[in-house]
Amino acid sequence: MKPIPRYLCGLLLVAGSCLGTARAETLDISYQRSSTLLILLKRNGVLEERLKPLGFDIEWHEFSAGLLSSLNAGSVDLHADVADAFALFTQAADAPLTYYAKEDSSPAAQAILVAKDSPIRSVADLKGRKVAVTKGSGSHFLLLSALQKAGLGIGDIQPHYLDGPDALAAFVNGTVDALSIWDPFLSAQERDGKVRVVADGRDGVASYYRFYMATTRFAQQHPHVLEIVFDELRKTGQWVKAHPREAAEILAPLWGNLPPETVEQANGHRSYAIVPVRRAELAEQQRIADLYRDAGIIPKALDVRGIRIWPADGQ
């Protein structure tokens, strides 16, 4: 056997050095306090275990504000899951995002509340009343849809547009007559025993889905990563439903030290069933888009069939 030429030895040494010191690629994932499944995955480290052999390290980024700006800019690789209505703002901004999973329908996870002794008995009774709601939220769509079903419009009530905690405070102190709100605020109020539910999303009012999105570039370059994340989200959702008390005890301190009973009730309202996004199953998104356009909440008409979906042939 001929000896390896010296110049080839040098090249091999350089190549070996490069391979030995190759740095892992960083996967940036954002989450918010309502991102139950992502929070649990962050805590148990399963994604790190599965993605490390593929050359990925994970950095987690919590958003309490500025989430929409992050989504629109595509500033992380995998984004915090968001309610169906909120997701439409990313399409309206033509954000560089691809939908890769959704949490199936959870219509009881948001509701319109009134005080237990209120004379308001139905959505129709909201006419002329002050109603607190967070503009652009899933609960805003719930309110618009419930009003439409009752033959009313937003002009028939006095909407007070406030962020969730401020909307809740306005309701508790009696500044407004009703509140359209989501969990866990909803479950906390129900457990307090001083409220009544006038309407929730059942009976076709508001299905309430949550969508998971990735930056389109990342989805195109790393579909195998999305497969793994989808699989772990699905399994984590199944675990939450099978272990409601244990999940509540883990999440309670992470949700602002809520009582575990409140968290368990809120989780009971959610399906946590992770399913693929199908273009043919976006009728509810189109209904939200149309109502939001009519109410002036989004600036233009949207065709939700135009959203980017992974897998690319998702129909």
Side-chain angles (χ1 to χ4, degrees), residues 71-234:
L71 285 160
N72 288 345
S75 57
V76 300
D77 301 309
L78 303 183
H79 292 266
D81 53 303
V82 294
D84 43 17
F86 192 86
L88 289 171
F89 291 99
T90 67
Q91 186 184 1
D94 196 25
L97 298 172
T98 293
Y99 292 56
Y100 70 91
K102 75 174 181 180
E103 179 185 324
D104 217 349
S105 178
S106 302
Q110 49 189 5
I112 301 171
L113 301 178
V114 296
K116 194 171 184 179
D117 59 356
S118 170
I120 298 170
R121 312 301 300 185
S122 68
V123 174
D125 294 335
L126 293 175
K127 187 172 183 178
R129 301 286 190 164
K130 299 174 183 177
V131 183
V133 64
T134 300
K135 194 170 188 177
S137 65
S139 294
H140 194 180
F141 170 64
L142 168 68
L143 176 62
L144 292 173
S145 181
L147 288 171
Q148 184 183 60
K149 188 175 182 179
L152 301 175
I154 197 69
D156 293 308
I157 66 170
Q158 299 179 53
H160 286 233
Y161 295 121
L162 301 165
D163 289 339
D166 292 334
L168 177 61
F171 174 68
V172 170
N173 66 30
T175 303
V176 297
D177 303 299
L179 169 68
S180 188
I181 198 67
W182 60 89
D183 268 322
F185 299 113
L186 167 60
S187 290
Q189 289 300 298
E190 286 184 312
R191 290 190 60 79
D192 195 41
K194 298 178 181 178
V195 301
R196 281 187 290 105
V197 172
V198 171
D200 59 20
R202 286 174 285 197
D203 299 323
V205 176
S207 298
Y208 186 70
Y209 300 100
R210 293 186 71 85
F211 287 95
Y212 292 80
M213 292 176 276
T215 57
T216 296
R217 178 180 295 181
F218 187 88
Q220 292 171 341
Q221 293 177 347
H222 302 290
H224 55 297
V225 174
L226 295 188
E227 290 178 13
I228 290 171
V229 175
F230 181 95
D231 182 51
E232 292 302 332
L233 286 170
R234 179 184 56 80

Side-chain angles (χ1 to χ4, degrees), residues 46 50 230-240 274:
V46 170
R50 292 195 63 181
F230 181 95
D231 182 51
E232 292 302 332
L233 286 170
R234 179 184 56 80
K235 289 191 290 189
T236 305
Q238 292 171 345
W239 181 87
V240 171
I274 299 301

Side-chain angles (χ1 to χ4, degrees), residues 15 40 43-44 57-58 70 83 92 156 166 176 186 239 245 264 311:
L40 291 173
R43 184 179 183 274
N44 65 26
D57 288 335
I58 299 178
S70 170
D156 293 308
D166 292 334
V176 297
L186 167 60
W239 181 87
R245 185 65 186 186
E264 186 172 355

